[in-house]
Amino acid sequence: MIITPVDEIRGELEALPSKSYTHRAYFLALLAEEESTIENPLFCDDTLATVSAIRAFGAEVNGKTVSPPEEPSPGFVYARESGTTARFSTALAGGINGRTLIDGARRLRERPMDGLVKALKDLGAGISSSHLPLAVKGPVKSGKVSVDASKSSQFVSGLLLLGAKVGLKVEAMNPVSRPYIEMTLRTMEAFGVEFEREGFSFEVYPGVRRAKYRVPGDYSTASFFLGAGALYGKVRINNLLRDDVQADIAFLDALEEFGAKVRRGSDYVEVERGELKAITLDCSDFPDSFPILAVIAAYAEGKSVIRAKQLRFKESDRVRAMAVNLSRMGIKVRELGDGLEIEGGRPKGARIETFKDHRIAMAMSIAALGAEGPSVIEDTESVSKSYPGFFDDLRRLLG
């Protein structure tokens, strides 16, 4: 795809439904006592992997309606490229009597599973490997477990979902991306799951009630267009709730720190271009925003440092991917172990490599809008992982 630069962007869009909440709602509907309805779900490659997973466990899914089995059954789960699907399925397989095989696409086979695998083994599950493909033989017994969550908060969320089925005490050690754990707990509350907590130690009681659950709008995918507003004009995104606990709501604070003008309504966010200055930021709690934050740093005056602990274990090595692409655009970038040092300037048009990573493709598309000269984005199909209509919405925003 060829992207030519624009002078200004002004417009508004409706936020996409949240991918993270959609995953959680469908897995909880699998465990519920009766039929549930998921309103406003996001359907993309990742969430369709989750729908396939809960079907493999015995649920009947008819679009937004989920009819749970009397008891989930073992089976085969192919998680595609979805880390959430793989990790939640692995955890829940620990509560099922029998042997479940879980696999995924090539990059997913490289992503860490070790903290979750160790926790499940400590609970008595039989597991064949520390990475995909792996087989899980349950059931585990109700009990207490500690999990090293320094590589992924999904290890904790998976065990919390398992606790909703079997009852479990979970202690999360060194958790990253903590707001995603809060999202899991909020969704559990909507499905009537009872739990107690002290910090990041939880006691989850078994039992999931049916729910009519509406998926909120997604701050993560909205961040790309809000970033465009910060760089090129003014953008408003509707259907973003001010009181949400989503990780990427912190992206708005980062925009303000850069110097953009941010207005928060009860159900919308509006971002307007300001005089952007370099910042130093650790986005370990909202790492999905790293690519678009790196793009904003590329336009900000001065030298920014953007870090996060787990960037190299995503759909791509995002530190390397952004370093390669921003360097191609003529931006001075220094690669750090856990992030980038970026000296802002005026990017030049370039041939962009997405590394088959949806967030790299979307972030670099926004970067190209203000570059000197046209850019070519290779492999735009990767956006279907989370936002199949991204380029349609980008065209709509550009008029």
Side-chain angles (χ1 to χ4, degrees):
M1 177 177 290
I2 299 174
I3 295 183
T4 54
V6 297
D7 294 326
E8 187 177 55
I9 295 176
R10 291 185 177 270
E12 65 180 90
L13 294 169
E14 293 297 313
L16 207 65
S18 164
K19 179 164 73 84
S20 296
Y21 278 125
T22 299
H23 281 302
R24 287 155 173 77
Y26 273 105
F27 273 107
L28 284 161
L30 163 71
L31 302 176
E33 298 169 347
E34 299 179 74
E35 180 180 282
S36 293
T37 301
I38 315 298
E39 297 183 337
N40 194 43
L42 173 68
F43 291 121
C44 62
D45 285 355
D46 276 11
T47 58
L48 289 174
T50 280
V51 169
S52 295
I54 68 170
R55 282 179 171 147
F57 287 131
E60 293 183 10
V61 184
N62 182 11
K64 303 174 182 179
T65 303
V66 180
S67 300
E70 287 189 16
E71 187 65 30
S73 56
F76 170 65
V77 172
Y78 183 70
R80 304 187 190 185
E81 291 276 4
S82 174
T84 306
T85 305
R87 290 157 176 164
F88 288 6
S89 295
T90 298
L92 289 180
I96 296 173
N97 186 15
R99 183 176 182 271
T100 297
L101 179 64
I102 299 163
D103 199 3
R106 182 192 62 80
R107 176 63 182 173
L108 190 54
R109 288 181 172 189
E110 299 171 357
R111 295 177 68 180
M113 298 283 287
D114 48 349
L116 177 60
V117 166
K118 182 182 184 303
L120 291 170
K121 285 183 174 180
D122 290 345
L123 288 168
I127 304 185
S128 64
S129 174
S130 61
H131 54 79
L132 298 186
L134 56 78
V136 182
K137 190 176 187 307
V140 299
K141 296 179 181 179
S142 177
K144 181 177 180 179
V145 69
S146 295
V147 57
D148 179 359
S150 60
K151 293 180 181 176
S152 176
S153 66
Q154 291 170 358
F155 299 166
V156 183
S157 290
L159 291 168
L160 293 174
L161 295 177
L162 175 61
K165 182 181 188 305
V166 304
L168 206 58
K169 293 181 180 179
V170 179
E171 182 182 16
M173 308 297 291
N174 305 312
V176 293
S177 304
R178 297 180 180 191
Y180 286 95
I181 300 172
E182 305 300 333
M183 293 174 71
T184 302
L185 295 170
R186 179 168 286 199
T187 316
M188 287 164 56
E189 287 176 329
F191 280 82
V193 180
E194 297 182 359
F195 60 88
E196 297 177 11
R197 71 178 296 182
E198 184 174 339
F200 284 89
S201 294
F202 310 90
E203 182 168 5
V204 185
Y205 300 99
V208 182
R209 293 198 293 269
R210 65 180 297 180
K212 188 175 183 180
Y213 178 81
R214 182 170 181 81
V215 177
D218 184 44
Y219 275 90
S220 181
T221 46
S223 68
F224 298 99
F225 295 123
L226 295 173
L231 292 172
Y232 311 123
K234 183 192 289 188
V235 172
R236 171 173 166 150
I237 306 294
N238 299 312
N239 192 32
L240 293 175
L241 302 179
R242 183 163 51 192
D243 64 349
D244 211 318
V245 296
Q246 290 183 50
D248 291 288
I249 200 169
F251 175 73
L252 304 181
D253 296 330
L255 286 182
E256 287 181 319
E257 192 174 351
F258 269 117
K261 301 171 186 176
V262 179
R263 299 176 184 86
R264 298 168 170 88
S266 60
D267 60 353
Y268 74 90
V269 175
E270 186 176 81
V271 175
E272 187 174 1
R273 177 170 49 197
E275 188 175 336
L276 301 181
K277 302 288 186 181
I279 67 171
T280 296
L281 177 70
D282 186 332
C283 59
S284 292
D285 279 341
F286 55 112
D288 285 344
S289 291
F290 172 79
I292 186 62
L293 286 167
V295 167
I296 294 167
Y299 281 89
E301 182 183 345
K303 190 178 292 183
S304 295
V305 176
I306 314 293
R307 301 177 183 269
K309 293 178 182 176
Q310 62 278 43
L311 296 170
R312 296 189 183 273
F313 303 107
K314 295 293 186 177
E315 286 83 342
S316 69
D317 177 341
R318 288 182 176 161
V319 173
R320 181 64 180 157
M322 291 304 297
V324 166
N325 283 314
L326 291 178
S327 295
R328 288 180 181 178
M329 298 187 91
I331 297 298
K332 294 181 181 178
V333 179
R334 185 166 72 92
E335 192 171 330
L336 310 173
D338 60 351
L340 293 175
E341 181 183 86
I342 302 166
E343 188 169 333
R346 177 73 187 277
K348 297 178 174 59
R351 182 171 290 274
I352 302 302
E353 184 178 354
T354 68
F355 295 84
K356 300 186 184 302
D357 187 327
H358 56 137
R359 298 194 193 279
I360 301 300
M362 291 187 282
M364 294 309 301
S365 297
I366 300 302
L369 291 172
E372 293 179 349
S375 296
V376 177
I377 311 291
E378 299 175 346
D379 184 35
T380 56
E381 293 83 0
S382 59
V383 301
S384 65
K385 187 177 194 296
S386 63
Y387 200 160
F390 172 79
F391 288 105
D392 291 333
D393 279 350
L394 180 58
R395 291 185 187 97
R396 190 174 296 115
L397 192 64
L398 296 174

